[in-house]
Amino acid sequence: MKVVIVGGVAGGATAAARLRRLDEHAQIIVFERSGYVSYANCGLPYYIGGTIADPEALTLQTPESFRARFDVDMRVNHEVTALDVQAKKVTVKNLVTGEVFEESYDKLILSPGAKPTQPRLPGVGLEHVFTLRTVEDTFRMKEFIDAHHPRTAVIAGGGFIGLELAENMREIGMEVTIVQRPQQLMKPFDPDMAAFIHAEARKHGIKLALGHTVEGFRETGDGVEMLLADTDPIPADMVVLAIGVTPDTHLASEAGLAMGVRGSILVNDHMETSAPDVYAVGDAVQVKHLVTGEETLISLAGPANKQGRIAADNICGIPSTYRGSQGSSVIKVFDITAASTGVNETVAKAAGLEADHVILSPMSHAGYYPGGKLMTMKVVFEKETYRLLGAQIVGYEG
């Protein structure tokens, strides 16, 4: 059996490792467009801030280690440009040499991930405007900071990447402003819980410009201005676009695969697409939310890893199903940690659920023992049934 995997990182790399554990004779080839096949996405902002000093620490596996440990043919800097599901082959371009060739498969796993959302705004491509997705993006941003020593940065977007970048830029002495259209940071949290994150960010000098719409960017000598719809432009030495991610699914769409919500790839609970012998996993696929039952997109490493293992199981004849995602996540914001799971009250009510909540204030350890710190927990439940719908928690310890 010959299995071709398009994309590494979480879903694709996990699928490759699982396939080898289940079948020691299968031929496994992974094509990864970037130069790194398995790396810690969540660690990228911390390299910018110097918390992670060694760039090699970002890499979980290399092509050499994958081949040595799993006998998997990992080919980085190789982009799959076309998919022929009838002939069961992919077209591949070697981004180093320019060579174009075809590779056949018995089974195919698509793990293309998601790309930073780049709206059609004037100035998106300017030298001082960055996005952060890959290790190469991280090095490019770090090299710019080391070479030009920017003093000010404006970040468009207050999600995971935007907030982590803001923290790390503050740690190296930069003045940072976060701009976004919603009136709060961190969409997984309700406004009353996000207020703790706002307070911590402001305490450490981050300026928050919430409720503003970005209209574009304009060069200004050695810097750039972020143009806003309803107020004066914000000048800065550099800008980072971190307004979310979009499934990178043009390959599947052009091949005629069935598509799901917001341009995602439609899969069943075995991670099979509409094409025979073609599976898809990770940030690019539509999933069912375990709490609401709605079809959605959840771009997190945990679900991608699980989906990769499930796809490998089914390819090897082991019946395995993916029941859905509940979107558990955790983020460090300077001295506090904030985590959430399930849905918040805002999302629950928007989904038509009769939701209510309770606020709890547990200690980080047993109250009789000195040194415990207060945590704030919000638990969301369904009124009539008391079914738990989700929880959010913020604290310094615990």
Side-chain angles (χ1 to χ4, degrees), residues 46-85:
Y46 296 94
Y47 178 68
I48 301 293
T51 302
I52 298 175
D54 184 359
E56 292 187 3
L58 297 171
T59 305
L60 304 177
Q61 293 278 356
T62 65
E64 294 76 20
S65 67
F66 244 106
R67 180 177 287 280
R69 185 176 179 187
F70 299 110
D71 190 24
V72 170
D73 185 359
M74 287 282 189
R75 304 188 197 177
V76 295
N77 297 309
H78 280 69
E79 181 177 10
V80 175
T81 58
L83 163 61
D84 187 335
V85 296

Side-chain angles (χ1 to χ4, degrees), residues 90-113:
V90 295
T91 303
V92 187
K93 181 177 182 180
N94 184 323
L95 298 179
V96 176
T97 66
E99 176 195 7
V100 176
F101 60 94
E102 292 182 341
E103 192 75 51
S104 64
Y105 64 84
D106 297 314
K107 304 286 184 181
L108 177 69
I109 300 177
L110 300 176
S111 180

Side-chain angles (χ1 to χ4, degrees), residues 138-151:
T138 310
F139 291 162
R140 194 176 304 116
M141 194 181 300
K142 185 74 160 63
E143 288 166 4
F144 178 87
I145 291 172
D146 291 345
H148 298 281
H149 306 290
R151 294 178 294 103

Side-chain angles (χ1 to χ4, degrees), residues 225-246:
E225 281 185 336
M226 178 182 285
L227 308 177
L228 303 179
D230 49 359
T231 189
D232 294 335
I234 301 178
D237 297 323
M238 64 182 294
V239 163
V240 181
L241 276 175
I243 59 177
V245 293
T246 302

Side-chain angles (χ1 to χ4, degrees), residues 191-220:
D192 51 355
M193 296 297 287
F196 291 97
I197 299 174
H198 296 174
E200 185 71 10
R202 288 181 171 126
K203 186 175 82 174
H204 287 83
I206 293 176
K207 299 173 185 176
L208 302 182
L210 307 178
H212 295 289
T213 301
V214 179
E215 287 197 328
F217 311 96
R218 182 171 58 206
E219 280 188 319
T220 57

Side-chain angles (χ1 to χ4, degrees), residues 115-143:
K115 56 189 176 183
T117 303
Q118 290 202 2
R120 297 179 181 275
L121 295 174
V124 164
L126 293 174
E127 180 187 1
H128 296 256
V129 179
F130 296 84
T131 58
L132 182 61
R133 179 197 186 194
T134 65
V135 175
E136 287 91 343
D137 292 337
T138 310
F139 291 162
R140 194 176 304 116
M141 194 181 300
K142 185 74 160 63
E143 288 166 4

